[in-house]
């Protein structure tokens, strides 16, 4: 998938100074035969499609001839158990990619290549000639995962296959599980990923591959970014010109800021066409477009800019220019002034903050390798292995989400298999409400008690989940006992309790099971001499002999006349109370009115003199006049 940037002094210098390359690995576990069970590391290849977040159970087959896979196989490999075939091949004699391509055409679902020397695992890469030789374009057609395993592990697998072929007691097949679930870190509910690319569109197949990916992946990228599921950052590789060569024609043509930031000449000809510094300036502009878009709350506009710029400002059409780029910036509604300010002066003999940060980020840190080739995709600080293709990359991003936090696009049938559809994957289920604790995830499933119509369930998710909190009784009676007879339903769930079960009055039990109490048999009610008791479901019926009336609260029988007199007394008392209340209210209103009248008179006397006060003051006014 990837190609080297070109032969530059800096590239070799970078490799000698840092040389940080981390081999990304998956796991291979032997399932049977039992005596060789165990886990082993396998190095992911830089081609094909690693099944990030998934697993593959398959039967290992080692071909009798063409064991290195360098020639086309004249047969289609099939396992006895109809499991997927994992073809075991020897390293050497041809490209790793041709081995995988021949294995794929022979029906293999995956390839394990055995190293031919005892050494640490390495990453199998694409042929260097891939981007310049159309005769090996098969690399882009490889859709199965490939991995390199250590020589000792490979030899163990070969010996086991020989024993199986000669001794039936060894079993019929060698079964292994290839596991990519932990190949991609998945610490939280957001995935951070970077794409190291280039604005140059005249570098052949590698540039076309990058642009094709950006066009195809733009929709997914923007939806994920808008939903807050991902944080995307574009990056661009630059190299620097060593101090003694900064005045050379090559450095002046390929670098800006006095040799500090450089890119290879697009045509590899310093006398015509575009120069390397044109590429550096456009790379810088695209970085600043992302920064300005991010500040405006629309970081996903970088994808629109890159696609539009390629369509409108192509090198092939001689439109790769500042004027064309600024037109695209304006059309996207971004601030051109802010983009200019971010870019700075490319002719200044100073550091450029944006490009300096890019060179610093090229150096690997923590679990990430140095970035020295284009294109490079980094997901959750891990370099992505596999071809740069929309679905393959989306699967890798989906594998980077914490379990059960994946966006809907990751759970579509095209991306993964919904394990919950088969017997709830062993999780708890309420058949009555048709709810389950099984939650589909990209890696498989989790058994997690659900929230149904705002009501939380609690439990282990496997054998039990119980509704708790307000509204729980509406959810199948909160898991408590309930029964219906004669169109009457009673339940051990009470809305006044946030959890637990308690049998209702008239029933006894632990709440998970309740039985009717026979109040008559157990002498709990209707025990007076004149009473006759009949038990009902959830209660009882008590009758009195003759012309007597049963008083339930007192569990006794009384004469109806006495009852009538009692009602008369109650009505009389209530009438007296109501009358006293009305009289009190009338008296209150009268006193309140009198009090208010007095207050009003007092206020008026201060501002409006009465007649007698006026008469007494008259002589004073006459004297004053005289």
């Amino acid at each position: 998938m990837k190609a080297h940037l070109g032969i530059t002094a800096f590239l070799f210098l970078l490799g000698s100074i840092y040389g940080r390359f981390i081999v990304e690995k998956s796991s291979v576990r032997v399932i049977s035969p039992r005596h060789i069970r165990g886990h082993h590391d396998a190095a992911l290849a830089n081609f094909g499609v690693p099944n990030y977040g998934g697993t593959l159970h398959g039967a290992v087959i080692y071909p009798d001839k063409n064991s290195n896979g360098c020639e086309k196989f004249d047969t289609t490999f099939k396992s006895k158990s109809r499991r997927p075939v994992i073809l075991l091949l020897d390293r050497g004699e041809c490209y790793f990619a041709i081995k995988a391509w021949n294995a794929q055409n022979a029906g293999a679902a995956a390839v394990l290549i055995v190293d031919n020397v005892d050494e640490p695992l390495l990453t199998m890469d694409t042929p260097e000639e891939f981007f310049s030789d159309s005769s090996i374009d098969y690399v882009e057609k490889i859709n199965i995962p490939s991995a390199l395993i250590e020589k000792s592990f490979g030899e163990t697998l070969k010996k086991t296959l020989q024993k199986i072929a000669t001794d039936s007691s060894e079993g019929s097949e060698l079964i292994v599980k290839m596991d990519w679930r932990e190949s991609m870190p998945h610490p939280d509910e957001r995935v951070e990923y970077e794409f190291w690319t280039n604005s140059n569109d005249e570098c052949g197949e590698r540039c076309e591959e990058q642009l094709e990916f950006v066009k195809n992946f733009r929709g997914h990228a923007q939806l994920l970014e808008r939903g807050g599921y991902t944080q995307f950052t574009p990056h661009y590789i630059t190299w620097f010109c060593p101090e003694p060569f900064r005045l050379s024609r090559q450095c002046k043509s390929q670098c800006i800021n006095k040799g500090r930031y450089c890119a290879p000449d697009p045509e590899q000809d310093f006398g015509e066409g575009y120069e390397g510094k044109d590429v550096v300036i456009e790379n810088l502009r695209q970085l600043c477009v992302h920064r300005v878009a991010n500040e405006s709350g629309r970081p996903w506009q970088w994808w629109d800019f890159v696609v539009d710029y390629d369509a409108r400002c192509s090198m092939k059409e001689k439109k790769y220019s500042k004027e064309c780029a600024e037109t695209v910036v304006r059309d996207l509604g971004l601030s051109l002034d802010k983009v200019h300010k971010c870019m700075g002066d490319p002719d200044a003999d100073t550091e450029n903050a944006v490009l300096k940060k890019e060179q610093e980020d090229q150096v690997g840190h923590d679990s990430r390798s140095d970035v020295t080739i284009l294109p490079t995709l980094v997901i959750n600080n891990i370099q992505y292995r596999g071809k740069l293709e929309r679905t393959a990359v989306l699967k890798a991003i989906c594998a980077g989400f914490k379990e059960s936090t994946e966006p809907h696009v990751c759970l579509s049938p095209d991306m993964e298999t919904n394990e919950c559809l088969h017997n709830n994957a062993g999780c708890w289920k309420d058949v009555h409400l048709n709810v389950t604790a099984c939650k589909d995830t990209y890696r498989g499933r989790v058994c997690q008690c659900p929230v149904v119509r705002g009501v939380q369930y609690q439990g282990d998710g496997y054998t039990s989940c119980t509704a708790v909190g307000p509204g729980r009784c509406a959810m199948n009676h909160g898991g408590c006992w309930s029964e219906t007879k004669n169109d009457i339903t009673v339940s051990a769930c009470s809305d006044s309790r946030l959890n637990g079960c308690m049998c209702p009055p008239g029933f006894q039990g632990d709440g998970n099971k309740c039985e009717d109490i026979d109040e008559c048999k157990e002498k709990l009610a209707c025990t007076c001499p004149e009473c006759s008791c009949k038990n009902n479901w959830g209660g009882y019926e008590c009758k009195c002999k003759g012309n007597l009336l049963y008083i339930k609260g007192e569990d006794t029988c009384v004469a109806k006349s006495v009852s009538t007199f009692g009602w008369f007394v109650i009505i009389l008392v209530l009438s007296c109370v109501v009358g006293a209340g009305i009289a009190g209210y009338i008296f209150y209103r009268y006193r309140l009115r009198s009090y208010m009248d007095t207050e009003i008179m007092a206020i008026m006397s201060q501002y409006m003199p009465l007649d007698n006060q006026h008469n007494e003051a008259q002589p004073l006014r006459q004297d004053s006049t005289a």
Side-chain angles (χ1 to χ4, degrees), residues 579-591:
I582 293 172
Y585 178 72
I586 293 173
F587 178 73
Y588 164 75
R589 294 286 296 176
Y590 169 75
R591 290 296 303 272

Side-chain angles (χ1 to χ4, degrees), residues 168-310:
S168 59
S169 63
E170 287 289 322
S172 60
E173 288 183 318
L174 170 59
I175 308 300
V176 302
K177 175 183 178 181
M178 297 182 69
D179 192 341
W180 297 268
R181 288 177 297 178
E182 299 305 319
S183 297
M184 181 64 65
H186 46 102
D188 51 40
E189 64 277 4
R190 190 181 73 173
V191 172
E192 292 83 26
Y193 69 109
E194 309 167 3
F195 183 46
W196 291 81
T197 182
N198 195 1
S199 63
N200 178 6
D201 61 4
E202 279 290 280
C203 56
E205 290 287 339
R206 65 177 181 181
C207 289
E208 293 178 8
E209 179 195 28
Q210 294 175 71
L211 290 171
E212 191 68 18
F213 168 71
V214 171
K215 292 176 185 177
N216 294 335
F217 196 70
R218 174 173 61 166
H220 288 315
Q222 292 181 329
L223 287 174
L224 291 169
E225 192 92 2
R226 285 173 181 267
Y229 295 108
T230 61
Q231 183 182 61
F232 168 73
T233 306
H235 287 290
Y236 297 80
I237 287 181
T238 62
W239 51 277
F240 65 85
C241 189
E243 185 71 33
F245 302 96
R246 288 189 175 181
L247 296 179
S248 67
R249 181 184 177 188
Q250 290 85 348
C251 281
K252 288 182 177 180
S253 171
Q254 298 182 92
C255 309
I256 66 173
N257 292 100
K258 306 302 179 183
R260 290 177 173 85
Y261 313 103
C262 313
D265 187 284
E267 298 87 7
Q268 297 297 315
D269 187 340
F270 300 120
E272 65 176 45
Y274 292 99
E275 298 179 318
K277 65 181 181 181
D278 297 325
V279 176
V280 179
I281 291 174
E282 185 52 41
N283 288 348
L284 175 59
R285 190 186 335 274
Q286 294 188 7
L287 284 168
C288 287
V289 163
H290 180 263
R291 290 197 175 194
V292 172
N294 192 39
E295 290 172 359
S296 65
R298 296 172 293 170
W300 48 83
Q301 284 193 303
W302 177 89
W303 298 86
D304 294 327
F305 179 87
V306 172
V307 172
D308 288 357
Y309 185 82
D310 174 61

